[in-house]
Short mmCIF file of all heavy atoms in Angstrom, two decimals:
data_model
loop_
_atom_site.label_atom_id
_atom_site.label_comp_id
_atom_site.label_asym_id
_atom_site.label_seq_id
_atom_site.Cartn_x
_atom_site.Cartn_y
_atom_site.Cartn_z
N ARG A 158 -9.04 -8.83 6.28
CA ARG A 158 -10.02 -9.70 6.81
C ARG A 158 -11.31 -9.31 6.20
O ARG A 158 -11.67 -8.09 6.10
CB ARG A 158 -10.06 -9.58 8.30
CG ARG A 158 -8.91 -9.98 9.17
CD ARG A 158 -9.01 -9.31 10.44
NE ARG A 158 -8.98 -7.84 10.37
CZ ARG A 158 -9.27 -7.01 11.43
NH1 ARG A 158 -9.67 -7.55 12.59
NH2 ARG A 158 -9.26 -5.73 11.29
N GLU A 159 -12.10 -10.37 5.81
CA GLU A 159 -13.43 -10.04 5.32
C GLU A 159 -14.21 -9.38 6.53
O GLU A 159 -14.00 -9.74 7.68
CB GLU A 159 -14.16 -11.36 4.92
CG GLU A 159 -13.55 -11.91 3.59
CD GLU A 159 -14.16 -13.16 3.14
OE1 GLU A 159 -15.30 -13.53 3.57
OE2 GLU A 159 -13.54 -13.78 2.28
N GLY A 160 -15.09 -8.50 6.16
CA GLY A 160 -15.82 -7.69 7.18
C GLY A 160 -15.12 -6.52 7.67
O GLY A 160 -15.73 -5.55 8.22
N TYR A 161 -13.73 -6.38 7.42
CA TYR A 161 -12.99 -5.19 7.80
C TYR A 161 -12.00 -4.83 6.61
O TYR A 161 -11.01 -4.29 6.80
CB TYR A 161 -12.06 -5.54 9.00
CG TYR A 161 -12.96 -5.98 10.24
CD1 TYR A 161 -13.09 -7.31 10.45
CD2 TYR A 161 -13.33 -5.03 11.18
CE1 TYR A 161 -13.83 -7.76 11.58
CE2 TYR A 161 -14.06 -5.45 12.20
CZ TYR A 161 -14.31 -6.81 12.47
OH TYR A 161 -14.97 -7.18 13.50
N ALA A 162 -12.54 -5.31 5.43
CA ALA A 162 -11.66 -5.17 4.26
C ALA A 162 -11.26 -3.74 3.92
O ALA A 162 -9.99 -3.48 3.64
CB ALA A 162 -12.43 -5.73 2.98
N VAL A 163 -12.16 -2.78 4.05
CA VAL A 163 -11.71 -1.39 3.77
C VAL A 163 -10.73 -0.87 4.80
O VAL A 163 -9.67 -0.39 4.40
CB VAL A 163 -12.99 -0.49 3.78
CG1 VAL A 163 -12.59 0.94 3.67
CG2 VAL A 163 -13.88 -0.90 2.70
N GLU A 164 -10.98 -0.99 6.03
CA GLU A 164 -10.10 -0.55 7.20
C GLU A 164 -8.71 -1.26 6.92
O GLU A 164 -7.64 -0.53 7.04
CB GLU A 164 -10.77 -0.83 8.46
CG GLU A 164 -9.88 -0.74 9.63
CD GLU A 164 -9.42 0.74 9.88
OE1 GLU A 164 -10.21 1.62 9.33
OE2 GLU A 164 -8.49 1.02 10.71
N ASP A 165 -8.74 -2.52 6.77
CA ASP A 165 -7.46 -3.29 6.61
C ASP A 165 -6.63 -2.86 5.40
O ASP A 165 -5.40 -2.95 5.38
CB ASP A 165 -7.75 -4.78 6.46
CG ASP A 165 -8.14 -5.42 7.92
OD1 ASP A 165 -7.96 -4.67 8.90
OD2 ASP A 165 -8.46 -6.55 7.92
N THR A 166 -7.32 -2.43 4.31
CA THR A 166 -6.67 -1.94 3.09
C THR A 166 -6.13 -0.58 3.24
O THR A 166 -4.97 -0.30 2.77
CB THR A 166 -7.55 -2.15 1.86
OG1 THR A 166 -8.14 -3.45 1.79
CG2 THR A 166 -6.93 -1.84 0.52
N LEU A 167 -6.85 0.28 3.84
CA LEU A 167 -6.43 1.64 4.06
C LEU A 167 -5.33 1.78 5.16
O LEU A 167 -4.46 2.69 5.09
CB LEU A 167 -7.62 2.58 4.21
CG LEU A 167 -8.54 2.76 3.12
CD1 LEU A 167 -9.78 3.64 3.54
CD2 LEU A 167 -7.90 3.38 1.85
N HIS A 168 -5.52 0.97 6.19
CA HIS A 168 -4.57 1.07 7.36
C HIS A 168 -4.00 -0.41 7.67
O HIS A 168 -4.29 -0.95 8.72
CB HIS A 168 -5.31 1.54 8.48
CG HIS A 168 -5.98 2.92 8.26
ND1 HIS A 168 -5.20 4.08 8.07
CD2 HIS A 168 -7.16 3.29 8.06
CE1 HIS A 168 -6.03 5.17 7.78
NE2 HIS A 168 -7.26 4.62 7.80
N PRO A 169 -3.25 -0.92 6.70
CA PRO A 169 -2.78 -2.39 7.04
C PRO A 169 -1.77 -2.24 8.18
O PRO A 169 -1.08 -1.34 8.40
CB PRO A 169 -2.03 -2.70 5.72
CG PRO A 169 -1.77 -1.46 5.05
CD PRO A 169 -2.75 -0.46 5.51
N ASP A 170 -1.67 -3.38 8.91
CA ASP A 170 -0.61 -3.61 10.01
C ASP A 170 0.78 -3.40 9.49
O ASP A 170 1.65 -2.99 10.13
CB ASP A 170 -0.70 -5.04 10.60
CG ASP A 170 -1.94 -5.35 11.33
OD1 ASP A 170 -2.70 -4.27 11.60
OD2 ASP A 170 -2.24 -6.44 11.51
N ARG A 171 0.98 -3.88 8.25
CA ARG A 171 2.27 -3.81 7.63
C ARG A 171 2.01 -4.04 6.14
O ARG A 171 1.06 -4.51 5.64
CB ARG A 171 3.21 -4.90 8.08
CG ARG A 171 3.06 -6.32 7.69
CD ARG A 171 1.72 -7.04 8.19
NE ARG A 171 1.81 -8.38 8.45
CZ ARG A 171 0.83 -9.15 8.73
NH1 ARG A 171 -0.39 -8.54 8.70
NH2 ARG A 171 0.94 -10.39 9.02
N LEU A 172 3.08 -3.47 5.35
CA LEU A 172 3.17 -3.74 3.91
C LEU A 172 4.30 -4.59 3.61
O LEU A 172 5.38 -4.35 4.15
CB LEU A 172 3.30 -2.40 3.14
CG LEU A 172 2.06 -1.46 3.23
CD1 LEU A 172 2.53 -0.04 2.78
CD2 LEU A 172 1.03 -1.98 2.24
#
Side-chain angles (χ1 to χ4, degrees):
R158 296 160 299 168
E159 291 180 16
Y161 303 90
V163 171
E164 172 64 18
D165 285 353
T166 305
L167 293 175
H168 306 285
D170 293 339
R171 73 294 213 190
L172 290 162

